[in-house]
Amino acid sequence: MGVSVSIEVYRDAWGIPHLRAGSARELAYAQGRNAATDRAWQIEVERHRSQGTTAAFLGAEAVGWDRFVRQARVEDTARRCFARLDADTAAWVSSYVDGVNAGLREGQPRSPEFAATGLVPGQWQPWTPLGIWLSTHILFAGFPTKLWREEVARALGNASVELFATDGPGTSGSNGWLVTGGRTVTGAPLIAGDPHRFIEDPGVYQQIHLACPEFDVVGLAVPGVPGIGHFGHTGSVAWAITNAMADYQDLYREQLRRNDARVEALGPDGWRPAAVHVETVEVAGADPVDVEVIETDRGPVIIGGPDEEYAISLRCPPRVREDLGFGALPELLRATTVADVDRAFDRWAEPVNVVQAADTEGGLLHRVAGAVPLRHRDNQLRVVPAWEAGHEWRGWHAPLPREDVDDVAVMANQRGLAGPLGVEFAAPHRADRIRQLLEESAAWSAKGMAAVHTDTHLASARPLLDLLAGLDGLSPDAVRLREALLRWDRRMDATSTEAAAFAALRSAVVRRLAACPELARLAEPPAYPETFLPWLALVPKVAYALEGLLTTALLPGIDRAEVVRAAVEDIAAHEAARSRTPATWGETHRLLPWQAVPGAAQEEWPGLSGDHDCVLSTSSVPGLTDLSARGPAARYVWDLARREDSLWVVPLGASGVPGGAHYRDQLPLWVRGELLPVVTDWNHLTLTEENHDF
């Protein structure tokens, strides 16, 4: 049955969609339809990921994720959260879903992945966008780190439980900064930053412009989800977020038993029945897999079961509260002041973020938003026993932390504003460097912010270089390498041979540290589901905790100087034996985006500047690979003087259609650190579609 709507679709020179409609609901429909025509394959993969049905077309390698999503009750939680939405928000989300369902028919033939996998687009349900949001963010708080701490405590003792504390590869962070008018050429604030996520193909953020009589907003949308939740500019107010690094998910060790056809779980008040049923995961090219889904009073069991040696359940706010915070999304679109943004984020739930906002009236905002439970400190650190009293949730943190903004505000996942809410934070290097750069000028412009986005100074190199400087008795080749590294400006530029040499030395040190007897006992990953293995692998853990491991007193049996000595001799000998000129960092530090179905022809991806602890955070895994799968999933600068002077860029392009003109056209700019103008004048756009009835 057709839906009568009045919409206009415009495009700018980069193919970015600008949508205009007669009402907010018609605009939601237009946004959903645009996502389906431009990103059909991407959003259908995300729908299946949220349902735990990806193995049906991706094969056996996807079973682990599907099992986790089924056991974690992701889709059921999305249903419950949708049912609790207010009527207006529910209708707005439903209009978006109607648009998706209308557009998938057009989007399918534009995406060859459907034919390659045999997938046929399915029917979206009203709660599907909520399921996509939850499945995308359920691992953001990094609860598997608690499994790792259990292994560290078992192997090294309780005193070492936080030995590897760091922003590891399983989490996602961001850079974000707000510069007040006293430091800008216009006298109006600037908000800038870049969310660090796994770089996906197509990209996880879509540049978009949404306009109707009620509002006119530009920002970065998540395909498959209505509105603009994370980064937006309404003309009079702009906002952006970073990951607060809060801890808000708990793991409980459960005792389960079967009692006839029932499963029972031991809690503080004794044995109580658990909800249990069986679901079947279909697998392309293999037999289906049955998954027993169990939920105790704490939450869904995601590891083990009543017939295994152990069982662990997950407790997370959206399941407990039946709320993802979607009520904030339409409010953000209508915001005209910082106060409006602040009120909207009072409704935010998942994930927990630090919000920065500014408006044209002088309003400024720097606060945490989201749902963080109050509970025992042990819950934040470890897997806690479900049968012991004292580990229950006792309400919610309120009010959440906030700070006044006097000059600049910086959040780069460091321990700071959100410190009371978390355990592990990023090292302070990115935040310190951003603040240092911003304080060097009182005449910042939107264009000037590119110099901050692309800064490659690596402060975390210091402990390793200090150890290197103190070595004596090195071979001549090792001495030459040491002297070159000690002269190095500590910039991880793609063209730098010294950066490449440092990365090689760092990787060698990581591997040697991981092989030390004191740490090697952690090398064998525990028998947990494969979805959690990125948090449980020793070499990545050593790599991202290297600064601390080179300076801590908790591992007295490791002679760090000798580890570095052996590593530098190895690297120097290897380089001396090479017949070619020294490699540059960009030769090995290349982009490697995630693709649900990699193309038949291996694509040649560009070399990158930056490193994990640089402001230009292009993360690899030292000791394993220099390839970068995670980095800035977008860059933005919101100008409060004139919105049309704002800038942005995404890693690949505005379109998710392979081979299209705008599929990869932003990649060269993104690599170089350049930004595109945000176009908001409809006279400078091309009308491509108008007044359709669907």
Side-chain angles (χ1 to χ4, degrees):
M1 182 176 180
V3 178
S4 179
V5 296
S6 174
I7 63 174
E8 296 172 335
V9 180
Y10 293 78
R11 305 274 178 177
D12 62 21
W14 295 91
I16 295 169
H18 298 250
L19 311 178
R20 190 157 62 179
S23 69
R25 290 187 187 176
E26 288 181 327
L27 186 58
Y29 179 95
Q31 187 183 7
R33 184 174 176 276
N34 172 262
T37 55
D38 278 10
R39 307 288 186 106
W41 167 253
Q42 178 184 17
I43 66 172
E44 272 293 88
V45 169
E46 293 303 322
R47 178 177 71 86
H48 282 281
R49 282 176 60 81
S50 73
Q51 297 173 173
T53 52
T54 58
F57 61 97
L58 296 180
E61 291 185 358
V63 169
W65 173 261
D66 286 355
R67 181 190 299 275
F68 165 64
V69 167
R70 304 291 188 101
Q71 291 177 322
R73 309 303 310 277
V74 168
E75 186 179 31
D76 184 69
T77 301
R79 285 176 182 248
R80 297 184 185 196
C81 293
F82 180 83
R84 292 286 299 273
L85 290 176
D86 64 89
D88 287 343
T89 302
W92 177 73
V93 174
S94 296
S95 294
Y96 180 90
V97 169
D98 289 341
V100 170
N101 285 326
L104 283 174
R105 293 188 296 272
E106 180 181 341
Q108 177 188 4
R110 303 177 70 196
S111 302
E113 298 94 339
F114 285 104
T117 60
L119 180 65
V120 176
Q123 185 77 12
W124 281 45
Q125 301 299 326
W127 56 83
T128 298
L130 285 75
I132 289 174
W133 189 263
L134 181 56
S135 68
T136 299
H137 295 103
I138 193 169
L139 294 173
F140 256 49
F143 68 79
T145 300
K146 297 177 183 182
L147 303 174
W148 172 254
R149 295 195 198 108
E150 289 291 312
E151 297 304 308
V152 172
R154 176 186 57 79
L156 304 178
N158 289 334
S160 299
V161 70
E162 295 184 67
L163 178 64
F164 291 86
T166 184
D167 176 27
T171 61
S172 293
S174 303
N175 294 321
W177 58 93
L178 189 166
V179 180
T180 59
R183 287 194 176 272
T184 69
V185 294
T186 64
L190 293 168
I191 297 176
D194 50 7
H196 304 155
R197 303 175 68 132
F198 286 101
I199 304 299
E200 300 180 17
D201 181 14
V204 68
Y205 284 117
Q206 180 190 30
Q207 299 148 304
I208 202 164
H209 181 191
L210 303 174
C212 66
E214 295 179 63
F215 52 79
D216 185 312
V217 189
V218 294
L220 297 165
V222 174
V225 178
I228 297 170
H230 283 167
F231 311 95
H233 196 327
T234 71
S236 60
V237 65
W239 68 91
I241 61 93
T242 56
N243 186 343
M245 307 299 285
D247 182 273
Y248 50 90
Q249 301 165 323
D250 285 351
L251 295 177
Y252 290 83
R253 192 172 300 280
E254 300 277 1
Q255 291 189 37
L256 304 177
R257 70 183 184 188
R258 294 197 186 275
N259 185 353
D260 296 328
R262 299 191 305 173
V263 172
E264 296 176 331
L266 182 62
D269 300 321
W271 291 96
R272 289 178 52 81
V276 59
H277 68 277
V278 176
E279 298 184 12
T280 300
V281 175
E282 300 293 334
V283 185
D287 293 334
V289 176
D290 287 338
V291 178
E292 187 174 39
V293 180
I294 301 171
E295 187 166 8
T296 74
D297 290 344
R298 272 68 57 193
V301 174
I302 59 169
I303 298 173
D307 304 321
E308 301 180 52
E309 294 183 7
Y310 55 83
I312 295 175
S313 62
L314 170 66
R315 188 169 181 82
C316 58
R319 188 72 180 164
V320 173
R321 294 159 49 106
E322 298 183 345
D323 179 29
L324 279 168
F326 262 48
L329 296 178
E331 288 192 22
L332 285 171
L333 295 176
R334 295 182 173 90
T336 60
T337 66
V338 157
D340 296 334
V341 170
D342 199 8
R343 280 191 297 271
F345 276 108
D346 282 341
R347 304 182 66 179
W348 194 257
E350 171 85 11
V352 179
N353 291 322
V354 171
V355 181
Q356 295 177 335
D359 63 30
T360 56
E361 298 178 1
L364 302 168
L365 181 67
H366 188 206
R367 62 163 291 185
V368 177
V372 182
L374 294 166
R375 73 278 205 217
H376 195 282
R377 170 68 173 175
D378 286 352
N379 290 42
Q380 295 179 277
L381 289 172
R382 308 274 291 272
V383 182
V384 294
W387 55 89
E388 290 185 5
H391 297 294
E392 304 86 358
W393 286 10
R394 305 186 306 274
W396 306 92
H397 278 275
L400 290 168
R402 63 175 60 224
E403 291 179 350
D404 292 334
V405 182
D406 296 324
D407 187 24
V408 299
V410 178
M411 181 60 188
N413 321 117
Q414 79 279 14
R415 188 180 300 274
L417 180 65
L421 307 178
V423 176
E424 295 192 12
F425 295 84
H429 305 304
R430 286 187 284 120
D432 290 348
R433 181 63 174 169
I434 292 168
R435 184 175 294 277
Q436 175 190 346
L437 292 170
L438 294 177
E439 290 177 350
E440 290 175 354
S441 174
W444 284 104
S445 66
K447 290 182 178 180
M449 287 301 173
V452 182
H453 282 128
T454 58
D455 186 80
T456 60
H457 186 264
L458 186 67
S460 62
R462 179 175 180 175
L464 177 50
L465 294 178
D466 284 350
L467 283 168
L468 182 63
L471 297 179
D472 55 15
L474 295 175
S475 68
D477 288 333
V479 168
R480 281 191 290 272
L481 176 58
R482 179 180 66 179
E483 291 176 350
L485 288 176
L486 295 181
R487 291 193 305 268
W488 172 48
D489 60 8
R490 302 188 187 185
R491 292 186 175 275
M492 298 297 287
D493 293 330
T495 57
S496 171
T497 56
E498 292 87 356
F502 173 79
L505 174 62
R506 180 178 57 184
S507 287
V509 169
V510 166
R511 289 190 293 269
R512 286 183 171 274
L513 277 178
C516 289
E518 290 85 351
L519 298 181
R521 66 190 76 175
L522 289 163
E524 186 65 29
Y528 290 132
E530 62 189 66
T531 300
F532 309 133
L533 293 185
W535 286 265
L536 302 170
L538 176 59
V539 170
K541 283 293 185 182
V542 172
Y544 285 97
L546 184 60
E547 264 192 292
L549 294 176
L550 290 176
T551 56
T552 182
L554 290 175
L555 297 170
I558 298 179
D559 188 332
R560 278 84 161 175
E562 289 307 307
V563 168
V564 175
R565 179 189 301 278
V568 74
E569 291 287 3
D570 283 351
I571 299 303
H574 175 74
E575 288 299 314
R578 289 162 59 101
S579 59
R580 51 169 298 215
T581 57
T584 63
W585 178 224
E587 288 182 55
T588 57
H589 188 59
R590 308 187 77 84
L591 179 65
L592 184 67
W594 179 83
Q595 299 169 304
V597 178
Q602 190 64 36
E603 193 163 352
E604 183 70 19
W605 294 99
L608 303 176
S609 295
D611 197 51
H612 183 71
D613 285 322
C614 299
V615 177
L616 179 51
S617 183
T618 53
S619 297
S620 57
V621 186
L624 288 182
T625 179
D626 288 340
L627 295 174
S628 178
R630 210 186 91 183
R635 296 189 187 101
Y636 60 90
V637 185
W638 298 144
D639 195 328
L640 272 300
R642 284 169 30 100
R643 185 173 65 170
E644 54 268 41
D645 289 337
S646 299
L647 302 165
W648 55 6
V649 74
V650 293
L652 302 179
S655 173
V657 178
H662 304 295
Y663 185 53
R664 293 278 192 271
D665 58 339
Q666 294 186 46
L667 178 59
L669 284 77
W670 179 82
V671 171
R672 295 194 300 267
E674 298 177 18
L675 298 163
L676 303 176
V678 172
V679 180
T680 57
D681 186 340
W682 299 95
N683 294 317
H684 295 162
L685 304 171
T686 301
L687 180 64
T688 60
E689 202 171 308
E690 182 178 13
N691 293 327
H692 279 262
D693 290 339
F694 303 101

